[in-house]
Amino acid sequence: MPTVESLHQRLSEALAEYLAETREDSSETVLVFHGGGEIRLWSEDDTVRAEIDTSQGGPEIWDFGPGRDEVEDFVETALWVVAPEE
């Protein structure tokens, strides 16, 4: 199961060219992208959660843990959401 830190690192590496800034506090990490999209990461009830929010649509929440959402699927979706079509 990923941690907030490991998921943050994976997303930062995979989406580095689109990442504008990262904001962190004690309860969550927010990755902000050049195109206006955001990904919020936090831990709740021993589960890591992520929320993708873009200017094109509403938020989508993913839960990571045994039998739940897969990190690689999330990274692919995040890339599709924040990366402009080329």
Side-chain angles (χ1 to χ4, degrees), residues 8-24:
H8 174 217
Q9 181 176 353
R10 177 73 178 93
L11 289 167
S12 294
E13 290 170 2
L15 306 172
E17 69 182 282
Y18 308 106
L19 188 61
E21 71 173 298
T22 299
R23 297 187 306 255
E24 297 181 68

Side-chain angles (χ1 to χ4, degrees), residues 10-70:
R10 177 73 178 93
L11 289 167
S12 294
E13 290 170 2
L15 306 172
E17 69 182 282
Y18 308 106
L19 188 61
E21 71 173 298
T22 299
R23 297 187 306 255
E24 297 181 68
D25 65 31
S26 61
S27 62
E28 68 180 21
T29 299
V30 178
L31 290 83
V32 181
F33 298 92
H34 294 293
E38 290 186 359
I39 297 177
R40 184 171 68 105
L41 308 172
W42 74 99
S43 182
E44 181 179 316
D45 300 326
D46 296 326
T47 301
V48 173
R49 293 193 163 92
E51 177 183 74
I52 299 177
D53 191 17
T54 68
S55 57
Q56 295 86 15
E60 182 177 318
I61 296 177
W62 293 59
D63 296 323
F64 303 100
R68 296 186 178 180
D69 295 319
E70 296 291 327

